[in-house]
Structures are given as C-alpha cells and as structure tokens.
Amino acid sequence: MGPLSPARTLRLWGPRSLGVALGVFMTIGFVLQLLGGPFHRRLQPLAPSLRPALLSCPPRQRLVFLKTHKSGSSSVLSLLHSYGDRHGLRFALPARYQFGYPRLFQASRVKGYRPQGGGTQLPFDILCHHMRFNLKEVLQVMPSDSFFFSIVRDPAALARSAFSYYKSTSSAFRKSPSLAAFLANPRAFYRPGARGDHYARNLLWFDFGLPFPPEMRTKSGNLHPPRDPNAPELQVLPSGAGPQAQALNPNALIHPVSTVADHGSQMSSPASFDMGSSSFIQWGLAWLDSVFDLVMVAEYFDESLVLLADALCWGLDDVVGFMHNAQAGREQGLSTVSNSGLTAEDQQLTARARAWNNLDWALYVHFNRSLWARIEKYGQRRLQTAVTELRARREALAKHCLVGGKASDPKYITDRRFRPFQFGSAKVLGYKLRSGLSPQDQEECERLATPELQYKDKLDAKQFPPTVSLPLKTSRPLSP
C-alpha cells in the first residue's frame, strides 16, 4: 500500500488525537476548512457519457458502510449484499444482526475475526451492518484504504419514522401520545441515558460515534431549557433541483439546544482548550470529512446512488435495486421535507424536530452542501441523465421480478425468505416474486427482494457453512 493521503493520515489519528491537534492548530491560527429488459443482458449499454469512468479504473471492493438508522440505509445495504454476493466478496458479519449496538463497535464482535498475530484469516471486503461507529476498532477489521461512506436524512423526516418504528423501544417515545406532543415538550418525556432514548434525540450524531458538546452535559444530568425554539431553515428543493437547494442561512449551522447528556461517548471532548458549541460541532464535521469518502443524502437518494457508483467505479446496474424496510402508508422512496405544501401544524412540527435534533441538523446541512458540491463537479446534466436511466432500469426490474411491479403488504408474502421482519407500529413492506422466472432471473430477483435479516443469514451460512459431524464407525462384532 502506497503512502497515505492527508485525509487517510487524519483517519488513523482518531477523534481524541484530532481534538488535541485542533487545539494546537487553533493556537497557531490554523483554520479547518469545511466543505463548505431488467438485467445486464436485457438492458441497453450505458450511454457514452456514463461509460468512461467505468472503463478507466478498477471497481473498488473494500467498503465500510455506516448503516445509520431510519435513513434509507436498508436499501443501500441490500445493494451491498447483492453486489458482494454476486462477486464472491467476504463480509464482516455480526454474530447476530448488529455489532453490539448501541455500544461502540468492537472488532471482537465480527464473526471469525482474529486479532493480529492470532493466526491467518482471509481479509474482509465489506463491513456494512448496524453499529455505532468506532474508527479505531473498525481499522482492526478493515484496511485504512477502504472506501468509507454513510447516509443522512433530514431530522424532521427521521423523527417521524423513528417515532413510529421505535415507539415500543424508546421510553421517551413510549410515554408520549404522539410525536407532536413529544416535540411540544420533549423534556417531559426524554431522560438522558434512559433505555432506548438514544433513538429520541440526535440519532445520526450518536450513530456516527461522535461526542456531545460540553454544554450539553450537566453534572446532575438535568436538562437545560432550549435556547432557540425554532430550527434554522434549509431550502431543500425537489430532487434534481440544483445547487440552489443550498440557500442556507449563514448562521444556521449550529444553534445548539443544551438539553442532551453524555451517551457514554466514544471519546471525551477536547479539554485542553475552550471551544464554543460552533467550534466543537465544526470539529466533529471536519473529522467526519477526513474519514468518510462520501455521505449520501436520503432526500436525494438516486442522485447519491449515481455518485456512489461513480466513486466506486461500478456500473449503473450495480446500484439498481428495490427500497427496503419501507413502512406501509408512507410514500415509497424518500421524499424531501420542505415547508412548501405543509400545513402550519406540520411546519411547526418540522421546525421543532430540527431544533430538538440540532446536532443531526448540523450534520444534514453540512452533508447536503457537500453532496451538491459533488454534483456540481460531476455535472448536473450528466447526473440527471444517469438518474433517469437508473429509475428506468429499476422500474423495468420491478415489473419483471415483482407481483404487481411493486412492494406488497407482508400478509400476502407467504415465502418466509422474503417476508420482512415486522417491528414498530406500522407494517414493513416486502416483495413477492412473480412465478415463471427463468433460473437466472429467479436468482437475481431473489437477491434484490431478500430482506436484510434473511440475507445476512444467507451470507453467514455461505461464509461459515455448518460442520456436519459424522457418526463414529463401530467395529462389527466378532462371530462366536
């Protein structure tokens, strides 16, 4: 492996070291820069404008995907499952279905992992199941030149989904009669450190393994009143609307609400120098920029997939799949959350959700900006051509593979291999395959329709086939 780039060097330091280094850099005047026919044989070849990148570099197949909660990450996981399975890649799998979440990731939780010096082992290619990010331990499992990526979602949309899905898990959600009631007075329900309450506040920040600003912690654990009842505005325009989607209030990045206590964070905050909330959060965002090669945005899911394929030197077909873990009664896909068309009550709920989840809002604003900077570099017209092609191929796949060409209510899915795990108050949709598919099409459709838990079990059985113990031979008794 050649010399590491500055970003990779920062990745190896870890956040605690970066915090100390940042204090030194601030002292000497260093300023961190923030960004600001369904299958291959049936589909037409890629348009010429989409082909050069695919021909000029080998596909990247060492991947670390931080699977954040309620952000469309199950659909990304499905693509990684099918791609890795098709290409014979080796997954770093949990013993069950998550890596000890909500505790920080530990390499020892990877099935078949052996510490350095503990014997030979085949290298892992993909790490992608639910974890709370812990870079030091991740690098015990995956090489530092792996492609690191994740996905974020508007906290207002995430809050709606999380409240429905985790109502029985989070004590704060369970005690509240509705999301509106919770956001109207979250301090009446939320208790830092209570079981499952990490789902109720700044869930993305928590999943990324980041610490919480010092003023968000109190010795007694009591909650401070919020400083700003309204979240800053972010103009999120419809998908493909262009970079004007970043018309941001320059003061909108951070207006911290001092109401969160420490969640047993990955690392302590830098204590050797005084950092205000804005500097602290900017430090966290700068660190994430040094670690992650790409952070997708759920509201621009298809655009993000095209950029992912380009970054990995994959074909467009490699990122064509179906949405997974979608709740019934909600629009298929991940739509934008903007104030246009919302009632006054919904606008108030959106503002309160963004204010309550202010750290997640900072993450979202930052990575929404960086995504659109990447889109500008890629070319908007070129991107729109690719997105149109991706959607056409997805629709063709759905019509060919699925009964009715769309997701199904789980009560109609009798094959347990394709029935998604049901959790929360809303039904989780799944897929029912058409009959009469050819063996080759059947195999590919099954890859795309298999829910994440069943696919993980399939990969587990493939990588760790059960051992069959043969009965001991017994000697034939001697004749008298």
Side-chain angles (χ1 to χ4, degrees), residues 1-19 21 116 133-146 148 266 286-292:
M1 183 172 63
L4 296 178
S5 66
R8 294 299 188 273
T9 303
L10 288 175
R11 175 181 291 171
L12 293 170
W13 284 7
R16 180 188 295 272
S17 300
L18 275 175
Q116 294 180 358
F133 192 65
N134 184 356
L135 179 62
K136 180 181 178 181
E137 289 291 312
V138 167
L139 291 176
Q140 297 296 313
V141 179
M142 301 295 296
S144 63
D145 62 349
S146 299
F148 283 65
Q266 174 176 346
W287 182 75
L288 292 179
D289 280 339
S290 77
V291 174
F292 287 88

Side-chain angles (χ1 to χ4, degrees), residues 169-469:
T169 305
S170 165
S171 61
F173 288 162
R174 189 168 55 247
K175 291 181 289 187
S176 177
S178 67
L179 178 61
F182 173 77
L183 291 173
N185 187 16
R187 290 173 290 157
F189 308 102
Y190 176 82
R191 291 294 178 268
R195 185 177 180 84
D197 275 7
H198 61 281
Y199 292 118
R201 181 111 198 256
N202 290 315
L203 180 54
L204 291 173
W205 192 271
F206 183 86
D207 283 355
F208 275 100
L210 292 168
F212 289 79
E215 75 279 4
M216 287 191 172
R217 301 187 290 262
T218 62
K219 293 181 180 179
S220 62
N222 295 327
L223 303 175
H224 292 302
R227 299 177 185 173
D228 184 355
N230 296 311
E233 280 300 313
L234 169 63
Q235 299 297 113
V236 184
L237 301 182
S239 180
Q244 55 268 43
Q246 284 64 245
L248 294 166
N249 177 343
N251 298 318
L253 186 57
I254 302 107
H255 274 292
V257 185
S258 302
T259 55
V260 141
D262 189 10
H263 288 277
S265 59
Q266 174 176 346
M267 57 281 178
S268 61
S269 60
S272 59
F273 57 95
D274 182 25
M275 289 174 61
S277 302
S278 177
S279 296
F280 186 96
I281 297 176
Q282 288 180 17
W283 161 78
L285 297 175
W287 182 75
L288 292 179
D289 280 339
S290 77
V291 174
F292 287 88
D293 299 283
L294 172 68
V295 176
M296 305 166 65
V297 175
E299 283 73 20
Y300 300 98
F301 190 74
D302 290 344
E303 290 84 350
S304 294
L305 287 179
V306 171
L307 295 177
L308 177 66
D310 180 68
L312 296 178
C313 293
W314 287 8
L316 193 64
D317 287 311
D318 293 324
V319 295
V320 176
F322 303 144
M323 299 300 295
H324 281 264
N325 212 25
Q327 298 177 8
R330 298 180 184 272
E331 182 182 350
Q332 280 290 289
L334 296 158
S335 58
T336 58
V337 176
S338 62
N339 286 337
S340 59
L342 294 180
T343 65
E345 183 179 358
D346 285 336
Q347 290 184 29
Q348 183 182 58
L349 188 146
T350 294
R352 286 175 171 174
R354 290 171 176 172
W356 173 246
N357 297 285
N358 65 300
L359 299 178
D360 282 5
W361 180 237
L363 277 175
Y364 184 79
V365 169
H366 179 74
F367 288 118
N368 183 64
R369 280 173 170 161
S370 66
L371 181 81
W372 280 95
R374 201 167 188 135
I375 288 173
E376 281 292 292
K377 185 176 180 179
Y378 184 89
Q380 289 193 54
R381 181 171 296 181
R382 179 184 173 212
L383 179 78
Q384 193 54 52
T385 299
V387 167
T388 300
E389 180 70 13
L390 182 149
R391 290 171 178 167
R393 296 185 185 205
R394 181 189 292 140
E395 184 179 359
L397 273 173
K399 288 180 179 178
H400 185 78
C401 291
L402 308 176
V403 172
K406 60 182 180 180
S408 299
D409 188 299
K411 68 182 179 182
Y412 299 118
I413 304 174
T414 56
D415 191 332
R416 296 183 65 180
R417 294 177 302 161
F418 306 114
R419 193 174 193 275
F421 177 63
Q422 299 299 305
F423 190 80
S425 59
K427 292 180 182 178
V428 177
L429 301 176
Y431 297 103
K432 186 175 181 180
L433 299 187
R434 292 174 59 241
S435 59
L437 296 171
S438 69
Q440 184 176 355
D441 287 1
Q442 178 76 24
E443 181 181 16
E444 188 65 19
C445 290
E446 286 183 2
R447 283 195 181 106
L448 297 172
T450 301
E452 59 184 278
L453 301 188
Q454 288 94 319
Y455 217 134
K456 184 268 173 186
D457 288 339
K458 174 185 174 182
L459 295 170
D460 199 310
K462 185 177 179 180
Q463 290 184 195
F464 304 97
T467 55
V468 179
S469 56

Side-chain angles (χ1 to χ4, degrees), residues 51-74:
R51 296 178 67 183
L54 303 180
L55 299 174
S56 62
C57 53
R60 298 191 64 173
Q61 297 183 333
R62 292 287 179 87
L63 312 173
V64 175
F65 174 59
L66 175 60
K67 187 179 186 296
T68 52
H69 287 80
K70 311 313 297 176
S71 299
S73 61
S74 293

